[in-house]
Coordinates of all heavy atoms in Angstrom, one line a residue:
A12 N 2.6 12.4 -9.3 CA 2.0 13.7 -9.2 C 3.1 14.8 -9.2 O 2.9 15.9 -9.8 CB 1.2 13.8 -7.9
V16 N 3.3 17.9 -11.9 CA 3.5 19.3 -11.5 C 4.7 19.9 -12.3 O 4.6 21.0 -12.9 CB 3.8 19.4 -10.0 CG1 4.2 20.9 -9.7 CG2 2.5 19.1 -9.2
I22 N 5.7 23.4 -19.2 CA 4.8 23.8 -20.3 C 4.3 25.2 -20.1 O 4.2 26.0 -21.1 CB 3.6 22.7 -20.5 CG1 4.2 21.4 -20.9 CG2 2.6 23.3 -21.5 CD1 3.1 20.3 -20.9
V24 N 5.8 27.6 -18.5 CA 6.8 28.6 -18.7 C 7.1 28.8 -20.2 O 7.3 29.9 -20.6 CB 8.1 28.2 -17.9 CG1 9.3 29.0 -18.4 CG2 7.9 28.3 -16.4
D31 N 0.3 34.6 -28.8 CA -0.9 34.4 -29.7 C -2.2 34.8 -29.0 O -2.1 35.1 -27.8 CB -1.0 33.0 -30.4 CG -1.1 31.9 -29.3 OD1 -1.2 32.2 -28.2 OD2 -1.0 30.7 -29.8
N33 N -4.5 33.0 -27.9 CA -5.0 32.0 -26.9 C -4.0 31.8 -25.8 O -4.2 31.0 -24.9 CB -5.1 30.6 -27.6 CG -6.3 30.6 -28.6 OD1 -7.2 31.4 -28.5 ND2 -6.1 29.8 -29.6
V46 N -2.3 23.4 -10.1 CA -2.8 23.5 -8.8 C -3.5 22.1 -8.4 O -3.4 21.6 -7.3 CB -3.8 24.6 -8.6 CG1 -4.6 24.6 -7.3 CG2 -3.1 26.0 -8.7
F55 N -1.4 12.7 -1.5 CA -0.6 11.5 -1.4 C 0.4 11.6 -0.3 O 0.6 10.6 0.4 CB 0.1 11.2 -2.8 CG -0.6 10.4 -3.7 CD1 -1.0 11.0 -5.0 CD2 -0.9 9.1 -3.5 CE1 -1.7 10.2 -5.9 CE2 -1.7 8.3 -4.4 CZ -2.0 8.9 -5.6
L58 N -1.4 10.8 2.9 CA -1.8 9.4 3.0 C -0.5 8.5 3.3 O -0.6 7.6 4.0 CB -2.4 8.9 1.7 CG -3.8 9.5 1.4 CD1 -4.3 9.1 0.0 CD2 -4.8 8.9 2.5
I61 N 0.1 8.9 6.9 CA -0.9 8.1 7.7 C -0.5 6.6 7.7 O -0.5 5.9 8.7 CB -2.3 8.3 7.2 CG1 -2.8 9.7 7.5 CG2 -3.3 7.3 7.8 CD1 -4.1 10.1 6.9
G69 N -6.8 11.3 16.5 CA -7.4 10.7 17.8 C -6.4 10.3 18.8 O -5.2 10.6 18.6

Side-chain angles (χ1 to χ4, degrees):
V16 169
I22 292 170
V24 170
D31 59 6
N33 295 329
V46 168
F55 270 116
L58 290 174
I61 291 170

